[in-house]
Amino acid sequence: MAACRFRRSIAAQLSRILEMPPENLVKSICAVPVTKKGQAADFQFFVSSVIDANSSDDSRPDIQLQTQRLAKELKCDAVVSEINTGEGTVNFTINRELLAKTVLQQVFEDGSQYGIKSELFSGLPKRKILIEFSSPNIAKKFHVGHLRSTIIGNYIANLSEAIGHHVTRMNYLGDWGMQFGLLGAGFQRFGSEEKLKSNPLQHLFEVYVQVNKASEEDENIKKLAQDFFRKLEAHEEQAVSLWQHFRDVSIEEYIRTYKRLGVCFDEYSGESFYQEKSQEILKMLDSKGLLKKTKEGTGIVYLSEKGSPLAVMRSDGTSLYLTRDLAAAIDRMDKCNPDTMIYVTDKSQISHFQQVFQILKLLGYEWTERCQHVPFGRVQGMKTRKGEVVFLEDVLDEACSMVLEKSASAKTTKECEDPLETAERIGLAALIVQDFKGLLSSDYQFSWDRVLQSRGDTGVFLQYTHARLHSLEEMCGRIDQVSHMNPACLQDPQAISLIQHLLRYDEILCQSSQDHQPKHIVNYLLKLSHLAAAAHKMLPVKGSVPELAEARLCLFQAVRSILANGMKLLGITPVNRM
Ligand code: ARG
């Protein structure tokens, strides 16, 4: 990794002066973010990181003084061509030609591994990570929260896998509970085998809505539903086989839709797997003296003396969402023994997962420390022209058809081999970027207009930039090695800014993998695209002398490659034409 080579070289010098091992210094040497002001140093060393944080304020040396002293002792060499100071930082400028050559060479050499081969990741132990995400409820609404969970979980899985972890992607379906009693009873009355076959999710949802309404007016239906659920819990063959049928056709349809999103799962689990195991949990709670009962017979647990009780068992002895989650967590640990177990849901479930983890701890499971909930905020106003979102499919269709309409009216549209596929990829990019731009925990207001702008900070803009760079390669040729490239041709401010930005990619991946926030990557790629647009304008390839043209092509090709890599991590498939 190019950045590593420079960081190491700077660390070696610092290490001699500070008498500290270079490995300890490397982490405090960062690539300088590119700003509008342009031309700045390439790396900065944070002096505070080596000043003893434990010393009291009086004895702590003045940081600025230390910074200046340190900068004076450092010398320029074959790698570093300039040293100066900023606020608490010593700044390093790398030899211009060495910088351009090394960075581009590395991008070409490492390909999809650029940034990942960095030493920022080399000490990282390879872990087993189980990520549970999406987890919709059969027959109920696939709300925007499930869409968010799906794309966020997929991004976390992609990035974790890319940096070398072993990842299991799990979908934990809401496939149990009273709704299946209603659905079973409802299907016998309102259902159609044919509709179930052709459009399962839609049909099950319709039946569910219909029977829900009917049960409000008709006590009889309520009874039938309870009856059906009781049969289900007692494993009566007919009831189970109908339920199984609902589940199978639903999963089939989910898989088709997930495919459009580019998402797949290693495992489809579900609440239904944990009815019996929940009973074991109740026994365990009981044997530890944790299970109490209310007057009505509901099983409860107290997490603390003053806290309010948590229900873990219905008065008829059946399990609850919470109980099933306890059983599921233990089962996952038993079977996969992951080093990290992640749950991705909206933030309304924060306290639910806190409770799950706390009870597991009370039960003596030390591995609870390895469980983590990644919560995200709510999206308001995601509607299609037909109305509120019920099916994931509808959102994707809407995104796709809006892109098609827009491109039909735009003058710049190029002929594509498969306009539908292209529109689908652009639409998805738009949804993902909109969703990933802010902190995951923030709520946001959804707007199709904003999402689909081609020049704003959108997924459409990323796709547009990628397609543009791709067509540049088609027009002017692809470069397959950098060795002949003359780095002296890449000294314009626009070229340097791009190269400096490429230098930061590994730090961005590192940050994103530590806090699970995709916004670092998204904002990095948006910036990359803006810088590329500016450079494209000022640094033409066509019409330049061959040496210059080649160097610029090299740069743009490197930019496209990183853009594509980053987009793929986010779950976006780059398009070559639009
Ligand atoms: N099916 C649930 C819902 O839609 C989400 C499940 C989250 N995962 C879990 N292990 N509880 O609200």
Side-chain angles (χ1 to χ4, degrees):
M1 179 74 199
C4 297
R5 182 171 157 204
F6 299 134
R7 272 192 221 108
R8 266 201 305 272
S9 168
I10 294 168
Q13 259 217 68
L14 286 168
S15 136
R16 280 194 295 276
I17 295 164
L18 297 167
E19 291 174 356
M20 287 172 74
E23 337 44 293
N24 297 2
L25 297 165
V26 164
K27 276 188 228 104
S28 312
I29 303 170
C30 303
V32 178
V34 176
T35 60
K36 287 226 170 70
K37 278 192 240 136
Q39 300 301 292
D42 303 310
F43 287 96
Q44 51 193 355
F45 173 68
F46 292 92
V47 178
S48 60
S49 67
V50 289
I51 290 179
D52 188 4
N54 296 325
S55 58
S56 71
D57 268 354
D58 304 336
S59 66
R60 199 186 290 182
D62 179 321
I63 292 198
Q64 210 48 35
L65 207 68
Q66 292 283 319
T67 305
Q68 247 117 43
R69 228 178 261 161
L70 180 60
K72 250 191 215 126
E73 283 184 77
L74 290 159
K75 302 226 160 23
C76 293
D77 55 19
V79 174
V80 176
S81 62
E82 201 183 317
I83 298 169
N84 57 34
T85 55
E87 234 169 274
T89 63
V90 180
N91 305 332
F92 300 85
T93 303
I94 305 295
N95 173 309
R96 281 2 237 149
E97 295 192 9
L98 183 68
L99 178 77
K101 187 109 197 174
T102 315
V103 171
L104 296 189
Q105 208 150 26
Q106 198 83 52
V107 177
F108 274 72
E109 232 167 73
D110 290 352
S112 65
Q113 293 295 300
Y114 179 79
I116 286 163
K117 274 191 174 170
S118 160
E119 68 188 348
L120 296 182
F121 295 111
S122 65
L124 193 79
K126 303 293 172 241
R127 303 233 179 252
K128 248 198 218 170
I129 304 184
L130 191 151
I131 307 177
E132 185 225 278
F133 61 103
S134 197
S135 307
N137 303 318
I138 292 176
K140 289 197 189 165
K141 267 187 193 159
F142 189 110
H143 51 73
V144 188
H146 295 118
L147 173 61
R148 277 205 99 177
S149 171
T150 311
I151 58 179
I152 293 168
N154 186 50
Y155 142 78
I156 296 176
N158 289 348
L159 182 57
S160 307
E161 210 159 55
I163 61 177
H165 297 304
H166 181 277
V167 172
T168 305
R169 294 163 159 86
M170 180 180 272
N171 199 332
Y172 180 73
L173 296 176
D175 60 359
W176 202 247
M178 204 42 210
Q179 84 242 40
F180 283 93
L182 275 166
L183 205 58
F187 193 77
Q188 284 160 347
R189 186 168 283 207
F190 311 110
S192 133
E193 253 322 310
E194 220 170 283
K195 284 188 188 160
L196 185 65
K197 223 188 203 148
S198 62
N199 212 342
L201 294 182
Q202 165 105 25
H203 186 54
L204 288 179
F205 180 69
E206 278 163 8
V207 170
Y208 183 66
V209 171
Q210 214 170 354
V211 67
N212 234 331
K213 207 161 141 230
S215 77
E216 274 162 26
E217 290 150 14
D218 187 347
E219 273 300 309
N220 227 352
I221 294 192
K222 226 182 238 165
K223 265 217 192 82
L224 282 175
Q226 275 159 0
D227 228 34
F228 190 91
F229 190 56
R230 198 186 38 71
K231 283 184 191 158
L232 209 49
E233 291 241 324
H235 302 290
E236 279 188 27
E237 210 183 304
Q238 250 187 339
V240 171
S241 106
L242 190 61
W243 167 84
Q244 185 72 47
H245 187 47
F246 293 158
R247 190 177 191 273
D248 291 346
V249 288
S250 299
I251 292 183
E252 261 174 53
E253 191 175 337
Y254 283 135
I255 290 179
R256 269 199 304 277
T257 315
Y258 287 135
K259 207 165 161 201
R260 289 179 69 180
L261 285 172
V263 172
C264 61
F265 290 91
D266 301 298
E267 235 172 278
Y268 278 85
S269 174
E271 293 181 43
S272 65
F273 291 23
Y274 298 107
Q275 315 148 49
E276 264 106 63
K277 288 213 167 84
S278 291
Q279 296 305 319
E280 288 166 31
I281 300 287
L282 294 172
K283 273 190 208 128
M284 252 177 354
L285 286 168
D286 197 24
S287 72
K288 298 216 176 225
L290 294 165
L291 186 67
K292 305 276 179 313
K293 272 203 187 134
T294 63
K295 272 201 280 339
E296 295 77 26
T298 306
I300 51 173
V301 168
Y302 285 93
L303 289 179
S304 64
E305 264 172 47
K306 286 201 198 105
S308 40
L310 298 176
V312 289
M313 183 187 83
R314 284 206 190 82
S315 53
D316 63 2
T318 56
S319 66
L320 290 160
Y321 181 55
L322 177 62
T323 340
R324 296 195 279 272
D325 252 330
L326 296 168
I330 295 171
D331 187 47
R332 289 176 203 177
M333 272 297 166
D334 281 349
K335 287 194 180 131
C336 312
N337 193 27
D339 299 294
T340 307
M341 187 148 90
I342 295 176
Y343 298 83
V344 187
T345 77
D346 73 42
K347 59 189 182 192
S348 70
Q349 300 207 32
I350 288 180
S351 68
H352 166 76
F353 283 105
Q354 276 169 353
Q355 290 159 3
V356 171
F357 302 158
Q358 273 175 334
I359 299 178
L360 287 170
K361 210 159 189 191
L362 283 180
L363 286 171
Y365 292 107
E366 291 300 328
W367 50 251
T368 313
E369 306 290 336
R370 297 191 239 149
C371 300
Q372 194 183 351
H373 177 220
V374 177
F376 54 82
R378 289 181 181 263
V379 185
Q380 278 113 17
M382 189 190 275
K383 290 198 179 101
T384 66
R385 282 170 282 194
K386 272 192 264 161
E388 219 185 317
V389 174
V390 178
F391 306 106
L392 173 55
E393 199 84 39
D394 295 336
V395 193
L396 299 181
D397 289 347
E398 186 87 345
C400 184
S401 70
M402 283 197 177
V403 171
L404 279 175
E405 282 164 32
K406 277 204 157 200
S407 64
S409 62
K411 290 188 213 87
T412 52
T413 306
K414 300 250 170 20
E415 289 230 345
C416 306
E417 265 166 45
D418 189 344
L420 205 65
E421 169 98 22
T422 304
E424 178 110 347
R425 288 179 180 174
I426 296 169
L428 183 56
L431 291 173
I432 290 180
V433 167
Q434 155 95 353
D435 199 86
F436 286 2
K437 251 195 317 196
L439 264 184
L440 290 183
S441 57
S442 326
D443 303 334
Y444 71 87
Q445 186 70 36
F446 186 84
S447 133
W448 285 106
D449 272 347
R450 196 153 14 93
V451 164
L452 295 171
Q453 272 166 17
S454 56
R455 291 302 160 107
D457 281 349
T458 62
V460 183
F461 176 53
L462 292 186
Q463 290 287 29
Y464 173 75
T465 307
H466 186 270
R468 218 170 145 207
L469 292 172
H470 190 270
S471 81
L472 183 71
E473 281 167 35
E474 277 188 334
M475 249 164 27
C476 306
R478 275 184 71 86
I479 307 269
D480 39 43
Q481 51 169 318
V482 201
S483 48
H484 309 299
M485 190 270 295
N486 181 2
C489 293
L490 295 176
Q491 300 304 320
D492 312 82
Q494 295 81 10
I496 299 267
S497 292
L498 265 178
I499 291 167
Q500 287 180 322
H501 196 56
L502 293 179
L503 205 53
R504 281 188 81 209
Y505 189 58
D506 63 342
E507 288 175 27
I508 299 296
L509 293 185
C510 190
Q511 205 176 358
S512 273
S513 69
Q514 278 166 358
D515 64 9
H516 297 314
Q517 297 290 342
K519 70 170 188 150
H520 309 301
I521 299 182
V522 168
N523 292 322
Y524 176 88
L525 297 179
L526 288 167
K527 175 90 164 245
L528 183 65
S529 300
H530 285 297
L531 292 172
H536 202 174
K537 222 190 262 162
M538 302 300 291
L539 312 174
V541 175
K542 246 170 121 185
S544 298
V545 296
E547 198 182 27
L548 200 56
E550 182 185 328
R552 288 176 179 175
L553 257 184
C554 230
L555 175 63
F556 287 125
Q557 204 169 305
V559 169
R560 185 181 71 80
S561 144
I562 305 309
L563 183 58
N565 293 348
M567 287 165 83
K568 285 179 202 158
L569 287 177
L570 298 174
I572 300 171
T573 310
V575 302
N576 294 338
R577 249 159 219 263
M578 65 185 269

